[in-house]
Amino acid sequence: MGVALDEAGHQHLAGEIDDAGLRADESRDTGLVADISDALSLDRDGAPWSDVPLRRTEETTMRAWAVIETGKPLQEIELPTPEPTGKQVLLEITHAGVCHSDLHIWEGEYDLGSRGKMRLTDRGVVLPLAMGHEIVGKVLKWGPEANAAGLKVGDHMIVFPWVGCGKCAECLADEDNMCRVKPASLGVYQNGGYATHVVAPEPRHLVPLGTL
């Protein structure tokens, strides 16, 4: 989808069809994309994330840029840094992509045209929420049940975000994205990549970045 500048220098989406088959209004302000990109490109000291070494794992608080109210600017919040349990893996985020669906989450609804609007609160989305489901990060620590997964501190991983309940037939068949019991997608139903840290439910939700 293209981005154009108006006379005031603001970014606007071109009227293309997105992945969900929805046409974006050419006048929709996409300053959100620029704001997110600016916020995530630098660490708390103003250095590019890619140049920042892994932080001490004993830090007890993390930062996130969350939707507090739909249609309003994201707000920086502090949260307890999760302590991984079971098979969970804690990662420090190095990169997070901005997807067009994040704009819909930020707006709080999908415009279905003649079929009306689908409110995301009706789908179980709860605010505040740190969006971002396109996540890359470095492994910091993991729960005791992940000890045999061959993980190493500093492993650079792509995080699979479409996680589910972990117990239904679909999840047990590695089809978590088809979970019909309790979808728990990162950046949609729980905090995702617009943050300093994220938790992957299991090592199988991680893919080595390699030379990509």
Side-chain angles (χ1 to χ4, degrees), residues 4-15:
L5 295 178
D6 65 12
E7 294 179 355
H10 296 126
Q11 290 182 329
H12 297 277
L13 296 176

Side-chain angles (χ1 to χ4, degrees), residues 30-40 64-77 96-99 102-108 127-132 187 191 193-195:
T30 59
L32 171 70
V33 176
D35 291 344
I36 293 171
S37 300
D38 290 343
L40 295 178
W65 290 266
V67 180
I68 305 297
E69 182 180 353
T70 56
K72 301 296 183 180
L74 303 186
Q75 294 186 29
E76 181 178 339
I77 60 175
V98 179
C99 179
D102 293 329
L103 291 175
H104 297 307
I105 295 173
W106 174 70
E107 292 169 334
L127 302 182
L129 172 70
M131 302 181 294
N191 290 330
Y194 298 173

Side-chain angles (χ1 to χ4, degrees), residues 17-48:
I17 300 297
D18 68 9
D19 293 344
L22 303 174
R23 181 173 297 278
D25 187 295
E26 293 184 356
S27 64
R28 178 185 294 166
D29 189 349
T30 59
L32 171 70
V33 176
D35 291 344
I36 293 171
S37 300
D38 290 343
L40 295 178
S41 64
L42 301 175
D43 83 332
R44 71 186 67 179
D45 301 314

Side-chain angles (χ1 to χ4, degrees), residues 33-201:
V33 176
D35 291 344
I36 293 171
S37 300
D38 290 343
L40 295 178
S41 64
L42 301 175
D43 83 332
R44 71 186 67 179
D45 301 314
W49 278 110
S50 58
D51 298 338
V52 178
L54 285 174
R55 301 191 186 281
R56 300 186 305 275
T57 57
E58 64 267 19
E59 287 189 356
T60 58
T61 59
M62 58 171 277
R63 294 184 301 155
W65 290 266
V67 180
I68 305 297
E69 182 180 353
T70 56
K72 301 296 183 180
L74 303 186
Q75 294 186 29
E76 181 178 339
I77 60 175
E78 285 198 350
L79 299 167
T81 303
E83 183 67 27
T85 61
K87 297 180 180 180
Q88 293 178 338
V89 182
L90 176 68
L91 301 96
E92 181 175 47
I93 295 170
T94 59
H95 301 80
V98 179
C99 179
H100 190 94
S101 60
D102 293 329
L103 291 175
H104 297 307
I105 295 173
W106 174 70
E107 292 169 334
E109 61 189 17
Y110 281 87
D111 188 342
L112 305 179
S114 62
R115 292 176 291 169
K117 295 183 178 182
M118 179 179 71
R119 296 288 302 172
L120 292 179
T121 52
D122 296 336
R123 299 292 300 273
V125 175
V126 178
L127 302 182
L129 172 70
M131 302 181 294
H133 54 265
E134 300 173 354
I135 308 168
V136 177
K138 292 185 178 181
V139 172
L140 286 180
K141 60 171 75 171
W142 51 86
E145 294 180 34
N147 283 335
L151 296 171
K152 298 189 299 295
V153 172
D155 282 347
H156 216 170
M157 298 288 195
I158 300 169
V159 182
F160 181 77
W162 309 118
V163 300
C165 69
K167 299 179 181 180
C168 67
E170 286 79 9
C171 288
L172 294 177
D174 290 343
E175 296 178 347
D176 308 49
N177 59 309
M178 302 298 290
C179 179
R180 290 176 289 182
V181 176
K182 189 178 181 181
S185 302
L186 300 176
V188 181
Y189 295 106
Q190 58 178 314
N191 290 330
Y194 298 173
T196 55
H197 298 75
V198 72
V199 170

